[in-house]
Amino acid sequence: MDAANAQDPMVPHRYRVAEVWEELDDVTTMSLLPVDGPPRPFKAGQFNMLYAYGVGEAAISISGDPAVPERLIHTTRNVGRVSAALTRLRAGDMLGVRGPFGSDWPVEDQKGRHMLFVAGGLGLAPLRGAVCQALANRLEYEEVSLLFGARSPDDLLYRSQVAEWGAFSGANVEVTVDMAARGWTGHVGVVTTRLERILGTSDPANVSVFICGPEIMMRFTAQDLTELGVPASRIWVSMERNMKCALGFCGHCQWGPDFVCKDGPVFRYDQIGKRLAIREI
Amino acid sequence: MQAAPGDSFVISSPAPLIGALVGAGWRVIGPQEVDGTIAYEELRTADDLPRGRTDDQEAGHYRLTEGRPEAWFDYVVGPQSWKKWLYPSRRKLWSATKTADGFEIDDRAEDYPKTAFFGVRPCEIAAIERQDAVFDNGSFTDTDYARRRAATLIVAVQCARSAATCFCASMNTGPHAEEGFDLALTELDPDGDHRFLLQIGSAQGAALADGLPLRDATGDDHATARLAAAHAAAQQTRRLPADIAPRLKGKEDHPGWQAVAEKCLHCANCTLACPTCFCSDVEDTNDLTGDHTERWRVWDSCFSLDFSYIHGGAVRQDPAARYRQWLTHKLSSWHDQFGSSGCVGCGRCIAWCPVGIDITEEAAVIARDDG
Ligand SMILES: Cc1cc2nc3c(=O)[nH]c(=O)nc-3n(C[C@H](O)[C@H](O)[C@H](O)COP(=O)(O)OP(=O)(O)OC[C@H]3O[C@@H](n4cnc5c(N)ncnc54)[C@H](O)[C@@H]3O)c2cc1C
Ligand code: SF4
Ligand code: SF4
Ligand code: FES
């Protein structure tokens, strides 16, 4: 490559916020439009580095539908400096975007199978695009299921869309919360307590599962699924590690031999399952 | 004399070569004595070289001392490495200025004149090649690194002496380099018929050699150079076994990690001194008005607690987990990532560890099958 003319991958593209939705107390979703060029295609499960002027960058998953690349959708939880600045952005504000980065959910490859999504809390954001893709081709899958767990009913993301998936789009949806609140009539308990039920009568050997949520939840969910007979090579998880570059340069995201930013964030469980159980690796 | 890659000649001193480089407009960076260590700074003439100096290195120990007065290159590597020029410890990535409806980005690159690295040791050539693979990883290219690298000429100095901390021979990275340089010097017989073997490694090197006062190298010159390399290799007592990478796998719970973590101060000296360590952080700085902001890349180390921070706390809380990351990355997972070891056997991390932790000893402890 001609280095002198190559685009420096650390320099962001400028985007502008088109719309903002308040999802939960500390979570907002925004749609972004490019200022400097055409929108770039992405795959479900990939992420961008979002830059808030003067504050810094954060890795945020793309939570939109890859079939609609014109609208870049991101859902952000305010947990610190950069994410606070990102959740403060309003329509018309400018931000920087680098990406898309990383591996994706291989949703097309699971056709013919029972496609199960297991999401914990904000983990539904990186899965949303893949759910949309599967539901757009619903009949090509034996079944499409979503098992969605959150801490409390107030932490349930994309509530109306999840209801719509269950009611109109042909998805088998189960929602469960760790702690019920007044008025909650749904399930109570962690997602692992609902796995057997959501697999239903499907042959476990014909089930594919994408899991996204806290690391401990992914670990136990994947472990229980394999015990229920789902092949480890049909389970995928999405990992989170500190990221400063998303290019394989800064070293921060290393997880054993993998750079989570470019070898992940989506990993196949049979390839990393042992590592998930190693403390502080 | 018409020089070509692969040729060897004899020159009486490094001085005309440095003169030719400066004359041809190269910025020449080479070893100098700064604050009692060998540092890589700009050279104007050969007189800036630390002639007559040698080093005394051991675990946790480094000192420059009087050497053979005529010898130009009797010291080996110091705390710095060439990475400070190709991959500076602080670099502005880009800056931005606020506008009425957003911001403008200025990503003009800093000037990097054509630069000759003078006195690159074989293990350091290997280290530069390891970083080449990091910063052009098949998916992305660090354009700033690539630009600096393309504008860099390498004049190697083959080693005729090893420090006690050196173990390049077991890593196949030295003490003699066959390739990876534009020109290479071997100092021959400083106490007698003092001269230098000059190997031509590239067309660019050949063009530079053309103007120099050279004579053809004889069989005796080559034999003396081979002896010097053999002598340097024979001096090495430290080593890493060739199969260390697989032997470190699956040893996450080995008690040796806790034992070394109890000695380790987590000062990050080893990662900063290491010529292959590449980790970095990013910092944002703003002026008082907030109208101008800059993003800087700065060296970072896997020994710091914040390095692995994610919401809820660092992944590697336990100091033993951080030492494990450093050692297993260098010696084992680097092979999975880049197809080579992340260690070139330069010994810097051994000499510059304030408590004298020795990577070769620690690796041997973990590789033993009692974990
Ligand atoms: C692949 C990937 C996808 C992600 N997708 C989303 C998403 O869709 N929505 C969302 O809200 N968050 C997501 N995150 C987490 C998000 O990147 C962090 O919450 C964010 O970086 C925190 O930065 P901060 O400055 O607000 O917090 P601080 O606590 O001030 O963070 C300090 C530094 O620690 C690092 N850091 C802290 N938490 C995390 C974390 N969880 N992951 C990685 N680095 C972290 C950052 O480098 C940050 O600069 C994702 C992370 C990864 C790795
Ligand atoms: S790990 Fe130590 S010996 Fe190996 S290259 Fe780095 S500093 Fe040199
Ligand atoms: S040893 Fe640590 S600081 Fe050095 S490259 Fe590896 S992760 Fe980065
Ligand atoms: S985020 Fe920098 S190497 Fe992965």
Side-chain angles (χ1 to χ4, degrees):
Chain A
M1 195 195 301
D2 182 352
N5 298 317
Q7 166 82 41
D8 181 344
M10 282 300 279
V11 178
H13 296 269
R14 297 181 305 165
Y15 275 63
R16 221 178 265 293
V17 178
E19 297 148 288
V20 175
W21 298 271
E22 305 288 341
E23 301 276 4
L24 309 173
D25 270 357
D26 52 353
V27 178
T28 63
T29 294
M30 52 190 177
S31 67
L32 311 176
L33 295 170
V35 172
D36 298 320
R40 277 178 299 270
F42 61 88
K43 294 182 184 143
Q46 290 192 299
F47 68 97
N48 279 316
M49 294 298 282
L50 300 188
Y51 167 76
Y53 177 88
V55 187
E57 278 185 337
I60 305 290
S61 305
I62 307 177
S63 56
D65 184 347
V68 194
E70 314 74 79
R71 271 163 40 113
L72 197 51
I73 311 263
H74 286 285
T75 297
T76 309
R77 165 166 278 148
N78 175 0
V79 296
R81 266 167 48 76
V82 177
S83 53
L86 291 173
T87 49
R88 268 198 306 270
L89 293 173
R90 291 297 166 257
D93 288 347
M94 187 180 276
L95 76 167
V97 176
R98 295 192 296 122
F101 295 118
S103 57
D104 55 291
W105 302 112
V107 58
E108 300 283 330
D109 302 344
Q110 315 311 321
K111 286 182 178 164
R113 307 214 179 101
H114 177 169
M115 181 69 250
L116 167 62
F117 300 92
V118 184
L122 211 62
L124 185 56
L127 282 172
R128 180 160 72 168
V131 176
C132 292
Q133 266 180 295
L135 289 177
N137 299 297
R138 169 65 192 86
L139 295 180
E140 294 178 50
Y141 296 84
E142 177 193 310
E143 175 114 58
V144 174
S145 314
L146 169 67
L147 174 54
F148 180 29
R151 248 187 340 214
S152 74
D154 285 343
D155 294 305
L156 289 169
L157 195 64
Y158 309 145
R159 226 164 302 181
S160 58
Q161 191 171 20
V162 169
E164 203 177 287
W165 286 338
F168 306 111
S169 308
N172 169 26
V173 174
E174 284 229 24
V175 178
T176 177
V177 297
D178 300 350
M179 295 172 299
R182 202 139 42 100
W184 176 253
T185 54
H187 301 295
V188 178
V190 294
V191 288
T192 43
T193 60
R194 314 291 313 163
L195 287 172
E196 212 170 333
R197 196 193 136 96
I198 198 134
L199 289 180
T201 55
S202 291
D203 172 6
N206 199 42
V207 175
S208 295
V209 192
F210 298 166
I211 314 172
C212 191
E215 202 167 312
I216 184 124
M217 165 272 195
M218 297 196 289
R219 185 176 140 204
F220 286 118
T221 304
Q223 208 171 299
D224 289 1
L225 284 165
T226 53
E227 279 161 22
L228 290 168
V230 178
S233 59
R234 295 270 170 75
I235 300 173
W236 284 262
V237 300
S238 182
M239 294 297 295
E240 217 168 271
R241 281 296 179 268
N242 187 303
M243 290 189 183
K244 297 295 178 188
C245 73
L247 307 167
F249 297 159
C250 79
H252 278 254
C253 68
Q254 286 179 85
W255 181 45
D258 288 317
F259 290 93
V260 172
C261 68
K262 72 186 185 63
D263 304 316
V266 176
F267 291 97
R268 212 173 75 188
Y269 181 62
D270 60 329
Q271 289 163 352
I272 50 88
K274 256 171 70 186
R275 213 187 300 154
L276 263 184
I278 300 172
R279 285 187 56 237
E280 304 202 5
I281 193 173
Chain B
M1 198 167 296
Q2 202 60 36
D7 289 353
S8 299
F9 301 93
V10 166
I11 187 168
S12 60
S13 143
L17 176 53
I18 292 177
L21 286 164
V22 171
W26 291 88
R27 173 175 67 160
V28 183
I29 312 286
Q32 293 185 37
E33 183 169 345
V34 179
D35 298 332
T37 68
I38 295 296
Y40 296 144
E41 298 296 344
E42 188 159 353
L43 298 175
R44 280 144 311 149
T45 76
D47 293 339
D48 294 337
L49 290 168
R51 190 174 189 186
R53 304 296 274 165
T54 188
D55 54 22
D56 176 19
Q57 304 201 41
E58 244 314 330
H61 173 84
Y62 176 97
R63 195 155 71 214
L64 282 180
T65 61
E66 286 303 311
R68 296 178 292 179
E70 296 302 316
W72 291 86
F73 299 112
D74 257 0
Y75 44 85
V76 291
V77 297
Q80 290 188 356
S81 68
W82 303 95
K83 82 174 177 185
K84 78 168 199 175
W85 293 100
L86 292 172
Y87 165 54
S89 60
R90 291 186 64 81
R91 178 172 85 79
K92 184 160 80 177
L93 293 167
W94 49 270
S95 60
T97 309
K98 243 187 191 150
T99 60
D101 65 346
F103 54 85
E104 302 252 2
I105 295 174
D106 177 359
D107 62 349
R108 269 171 306 178
E110 189 192 316
D111 201 35
Y112 183 85
K114 65 175 193 174
T115 299
F117 288 176
F118 186 93
V120 183
R121 302 302 180 135
C123 67
E124 300 187 297
I125 295 177
I128 292 170
E129 288 171 348
R130 307 289 146 106
Q131 287 212 329
D132 290 350
V134 169
F135 292 121
D136 190 358
N137 59 27
S139 305
F140 301 99
T141 306
D142 181 324
T143 49
D144 183 75
Y145 181 92
R147 194 171 51 87
R148 289 168 191 262
R149 187 70 170 90
T152 298
L153 182 92
I154 292 187
V155 182
V157 166
Q158 309 277 19
C159 289
R161 158 185 174 268
S162 295
T165 41
C166 294
F167 57 102
C168 61
S170 71
M171 306 305 289
N172 290 321
T173 54
H176 182 87
E178 300 294 336
E179 53 190 16
F181 52 78
D182 296 284
L183 292 167
L185 289 167
T186 311
E187 186 163 24
L188 306 177
D189 208 0
D191 300 322
D193 176 16
H194 198 181
R195 62 205 192 278
F196 293 81
L197 186 72
L198 179 70
Q199 294 165 271
I200 314 293
S202 72
Q204 213 171 11
L208 276 160
D210 273 341
L212 297 175
L214 305 175
R215 70 162 168 80
D216 279 325
T218 64
D220 179 51
D221 298 322
H222 283 292
T224 312
R226 271 197 301 276
L227 251 150
H231 168 71
Q235 277 181 320
Q236 297 185 8
T237 53
R238 287 182 162 85
R239 63 182 295 275
L240 275 176
D243 61 348
I244 192 69
R247 285 171 63 189
L248 291 174
K249 294 218 187 296
K251 297 292 182 72
E252 289 83 5
D253 297 324
H254 195 289
W257 301 121
Q258 287 298 341
V260 64
E262 273 160 35
K263 296 182 273 177
C264 174
L265 307 178
H266 304 95
C267 64
N269 266 16
C270 50
T271 55
L272 300 178
C274 179
T276 69
C277 267
F278 57 81
C279 286
S280 63
D281 196 355
V282 180
E283 287 175 5
D284 292 85
T285 62
N286 294 291
D287 68 359
L288 283 176
T289 62
D291 290 343
H292 185 77
T293 186
E294 296 180 346
R295 297 211 90 208
W296 286 75
R297 184 193 64 191
V298 298
W299 286 358
D300 202 356
S301 166
C302 58
F303 278 99
S304 83
L305 184 59
D306 279 352
F307 186 85
S308 63
Y309 181 83
I310 57 174
H311 187 54
V315 172
R316 298 184 201 107
Q317 300 270 346
D318 187 347
R322 282 176 265 152
Y323 190 87
R324 184 180 69 189
Q325 166 61 23
W326 138 262
L327 190 112
T328 55
H329 184 217
K330 290 272 105 165
L331 302 183
S332 189
S333 46
W334 203 295
H335 285 269
D336 305 310
Q337 296 170 345
F338 303 109
S340 69
S341 176
C343 174
V344 297
C346 73
R348 285 180 175 89
C349 58
I350 303 173
W352 292 94
C353 175
V355 294
I357 294 173
D358 178 344
I359 188 172
T360 62
E361 273 177 31
E362 300 305 332
V365 167
I366 303 295
R368 277 206 298 268
D369 283 325
D370 52 4

